[in-house]
Structure formats: C-alpha cells, structure tokens
Amino acid sequence: MFRIGRRSRIFFVCALLIAPWIIQVIPTISHYLDVLVFAGIYTLITIGLSLLMGYAGQISLGHAAFFGIGAYISGILTVQYEWNPWFCMLVGVVVTVLVAFLIGTPALKLKGHYLAMATLAFGIVVFIFFNEEVAVTGGPDGMGGIPGLSIWGYSFDTELKYYYLVWGIVAAVFLFSVNLVHSRLGRALRAIHTSEIGANAMGVNVSVYKIQIFVYSAALASIAGSLYAHYINFISPGTFDLSFSVKLLIMIVIGGMYSIWGAILGAVLISFLSFEWLEMFKEYEILVFGLILLFVTIFLPDGIISLPKKLRGIMGKSKKPSGQKRD
Amino acid sequence: MTVGSIYAMIAVGFNIIYNVTEIINLAQGEFVVLGGLVMVFIRVTLSIPTILAFPLTLLIVFMVGVLFDRLAIRPIKQPSVMTLIIATIAASMILKGSAMFIWGKDPYDLPAFSGRTPINFLGAFIQPQALWIMGLLVVIVLALTLFFERNIMGKAMKACADNPDAAKLVGINVNHMILLSFALSAAIGAVAGIGMTPLALMEYDRGAMLAVKGFAAVILGGLGSFPGAILGGLVLGLIESLGAGYISSGYKDAFALIILLLLLFVKPSGLLGNATVAKLKKF
C-alpha cells in the first residue's frame, strides 16, 4: 500500500479548491471544468471499486449496472413522480444496496473467473432491462428532462457549483473510505486478499466482509449515478453498458488499484483521456485504451501511482555500487 | 440447434485454454468475430473460393491466437487471476478496436457455403448452412478427440492440463503447449465465426456477447469438460430459441445470462462437472 501523508492531503484539497479558478481564467481549457465534474463522478465509483478489487481482491465487471440503477431511479422518480431529487438519490442507494446484497451474497462465494463472469452477466442483464422496459425507462431512446439539484433554494446550476458539490462528496467519501481501510474492516479485507483460507482460520468472517464491501462500492456507484443523471439531465442505456464497466476497470488498473489515491488518479486521467486528449481517435479509442491497459498490466501492475516509488527504487539502486550482493 | 452448435464451438474453445492454463479467455468471442470478418475479406473482397478461403482464414486466426499468447499472456510477470482477466480484456479491446479499424462498423454478409435454398428435412425447412454448421461441429469434435487421444502433441497438452509441473519434468515444453492451446482455440472460434456469418451476418462488436454465451454453455456443461461443452451449447441454444419464441424476443439475450447466473449461484460445477475437481483447481 502506498501511504500518502497529511501534507499531500492538504495539498490535494487546496489543488481541488483552486483548480476551477485557474481553469476558468485560461480560455482554451475552460471546458476542463466539465471534464473534472465527470472525473469526480467516476472517482466516486472507482474509490469503491478500489476497496473491492485492490483491498479485498474481488473483481467486478458489473458496476456500470449499479451506476445505472442509481441514475435511472433518480431519473424515473424525479421525472414521472416529481419527488425530491435528494430523496430519490437516497431511494436509489437503498434499492442498489438491496440489489447488490441479493446478487453479492451468492456471487461472492464464487472466485476469480467465475466471479468476473457472474458480475459481467449481471451487468448485461441490467443493461438489457434498461433497453427493453420502454414504458419505465424510455428504452434505447433514453429519458430526458431530469431536473438539476438544489438545496434550500440554492441550486447547483453552473458547472462551478456542481464541481464543488461533486468533489465535496468525493472528499467526504474519501475520508470515510480511508478510515475504513485503517479500521478492522480494512485489515480484514487485506487479509482476505492475501489468503482467504488464512483469514478464515484467523477468525475473519470472510463472506460477511466481502459482501459488506461489495454493497458499499455498489452504493457509491449508485450515488455517482444519481449525480450523473442530475448533471446532464438525460440518461440512456448506452451509458451503462459493458464498456463502461470495462472503462471503470481501466481507471483503477491504470491509476493503481491497491491505493485509493490510485483510484482518484485513474478516474481523472481516464476522464481527460476519453473526453479530451483521445478525442481525435473517436471510437478507435478502444484500441488505444486496450494498448494502454495491456502495457500497464505487463509493465506497471501496481499502476501509475507506484511510478514514483519505482523510479526511486531504480535511482536508489544505481547509487549503490552493484557489487555488494547483500540480498 | 444451429445457434447451439455455435455456442458449443465457442465453449470448446474456452475449455481448451482453460484445461491447459486455467485461464478463462474473455477474448474468445473476438476470435469468432475475427474468423467471420477475415473470411468475408478473403471470400468476398478477394473472391477466393470457399474451399481455399476457409483454411486460409483458419491459418490467419490461428496466427492471431499465437500472437495473443506471445504479446498478452506470456509477458505478464506475476500472473494472478486478476491480472490475467485484465490482460484478456485488454487483448479483446485491441482485437475489437482493430476489427473496427479494418472493417468499420457495418455488418457483413458472407455467401452461404451451398446456396440459400431451404431444404425440406422431415417436414421442416432448414437452411443448408445450418447443416454445415452442425457438420463442422461434428468434425471439430472428431478431430479434437483424435488429437487428444492419438497425437503425441495432444497427449502432451492433456498432460499439461493435469499437472504442469509433472509435465515439465517429463520434458514437455509447457510454454509451447499454452501457445498451442491459444492458437487452437482461436482457430475453433474462427470456425464458429465462419459458420455463423452467412446466417447471422458479422460485425465488429459481437464478441462480448458471444463470449458470455459461450461461457454460459461452458458452465452449463461443467468447466473443462468437452462433452459438457457440446451438450451445454446445444441446450443453451434450445432454451434461447424457446424463450425468444414463447416469452419475449427482446429478452432473448438475457435468457442465457440469467441461466448462467442461476447456474453459477446454484451449481457452479455444471451438469457434467465434478464439484470436488472444481475445488482442487487453482483459480
């Protein structure tokens, strides 16, 4: 695990607060704020996934489904029933938690490839459901007219306001998750990752912890989905397909799945890559992402976040004379 | 039956790789797509007759399978289930992206092997291509049985599947066998692709769905079992067409997946699989 101290945390928060002002001053990159809002929404999901995959070692290829459930519940309840958006978000979380619990309980008994396939199949089934239940979800055409968010008359109607809202939630989730990692649950998860049998023998209730973290990550994805729906005011099934689950996977693999910082880095990096820097490739970005993913898997299995440490390792080695064979 | 035979072929491809390496190759569907599209290119664009185009396509996809192992699987230094899954996903994205790059997003048609006039078979009209597909499945089964039972290479592959360390000790080059398993299952995937294209067209993004359904067939029959894969594929094809006919055609794709989920939750070892064997496997 890569510990990052209090100083860099403060630096990170300051950077978050200042970033929009710098971005808005420079006209050529002023639309980066929009990208950063999406990056924040994705970060919510990747933090949960990082706990699930990096810490607990359980793969999921179906988180787009939870993201979608959150988004659709917010969309349907606010558009068709005109409920309060915040309450809808809560309903979304509750429903997602239930679904995640029902799916996770049997699924997390499976291991490795079986689990990957089960979550993948679950994701596709939910995707088909969004497409086919036209009366409820609007089908492939999607549904529009989802209202924005406001609280006590203060509405988050500009990119800047939404940016602070999203990243504020990210910061809260981040703090909570970091505490989680250093709690009993976090230690149990790492034990599970190292050896399930070992953890079990030490009295860790493996299946309960695995389900808890699965449900937690699903709930985060659901919140992200609601935030997404209220931000762009329009949702269609295409956003929540398998390729989005894969994109989430790319985010945390490239950033570094063994650290929450890696999850944030990956989400921001991939957002910029797919919205901005790889725009010219259009649909062929899948080819580029595939190559990047393969490259990182082979050469940097701990993700970009491990790069400084690795470089330091190489530098450190070159300083010491290689003649001493101490290890 | 036709659809089922295609699933069975994909399932056999999964099993070959799984048996030797214990990897579930998530890019298996991409081989099917590639088979169909390469065949279209050789048969339609270059207008080479089917009898030549068929082996040529198999050879090309076979080579893709070789590259797949060399470039995506072997370079991984610390193979864990998760990195291997990610590597096959990365490779499938690369294959899919390349297919989109070369062939674009349009679906392609391929002339059927022997015309499209339906044949009256015991009162039911069926496409001759459907017979071809079933025939190809039978050929694959026979060829693989011969290969694994009679051929020294096939026996060596079986040995790797049983115990890679012991296989290494008796002088089998395990790496070659892994390479061969990827190439072989790529070629079988290509056969499935070539077979189905005249009936169902082929486009670049079919791979994921085909792979998942093929995997459902694998699980239905029991992971690692060849007779299971065939049976699983055929049963799955049957369930799917019945479901589409009697319940809802929009949810056609969902049936296979829901069956897959139920099976995984209730009896992951499959119909013909053995629970104790499954527990002994590494992953």
Side-chain angles (χ1 to χ4, degrees), chain B residues 19 21 27 46 53 56-57 81 84 97 110 174 195 218 224 249 276:
Chain B
N19 274 346
T21 62
L46 303 182
L56 213 56
T57 307
V81 196
L84 288 172
L110 184 71
V174 177
V218 170
S249 59
T276 26

Side-chain angles (χ1 to χ4, degrees), chain A residues 20-200:
Chain A
W21 302 101
I22 300 172
I23 287 171
Q24 278 184 328
V25 170
I26 307 165
T28 47
I29 59 162
S30 60
H31 57 289
Y32 275 18
L33 200 57
D34 184 45
V35 181
L36 277 174
V37 171
F38 282 111
I41 292 172
Y42 297 155
T43 304
L44 278 178
I45 317 176
T46 52
I47 287 178
L49 267 182
S50 152
L51 292 182
L52 182 68
M53 290 179 59
Y55 287 81
Q58 308 299 312
I59 198 161
S60 167
L61 294 174
H63 263 57
F66 299 124
F67 183 59
I69 292 172
Y72 266 104
I73 284 180
S74 275
I76 292 164
L77 292 183
T78 50
V79 172
Q80 293 178 3
Y81 300 92
E82 296 180 353
W83 287 12
N84 180 307
W86 298 101
F87 183 67
C88 297
M89 197 182 280
L90 191 70
V91 174
V93 171
V94 171
V95 173
T96 311
V97 163
L98 279 177
V99 173
F101 184 75
L102 285 178
I103 289 293
T105 309
L108 291 167
K109 284 184 192 144
L110 305 167
K111 275 189 285 180
H113 297 294
Y114 285 95
L115 181 63
M117 278 298 189
T119 52
L120 190 136
F122 165 70
I124 298 178
V125 169
V126 172
F127 171 68
I128 294 174
F129 180 82
F130 290 152
N131 260 315
E132 292 299 322
E133 292 303 310
V134 180
V136 187
T137 62
D141 297 334
M143 61 189 307
I146 302 166
L149 284 173
S150 63
I151 193 161
W152 294 304
Y154 180 85
S155 76
F156 297 94
D157 48 3
T158 64
E159 281 175 0
L160 187 66
K161 288 174 188 169
Y162 217 86
Y163 167 89
Y164 281 122
L165 173 72
V166 168
W167 281 97
I169 295 176
V170 170
V173 165
F174 174 78
L175 280 182
F176 185 75
S177 303
V178 167
N179 282 331
L180 210 60
V181 166
H182 294 299
S183 73
R184 187 184 166 84
L185 175 67
R187 289 192 298 274
L189 290 178
R190 265 169 282 165
I192 292 170
H193 194 177
T194 318
S195 161
E196 272 196 46
I197 300 169
N200 227 339

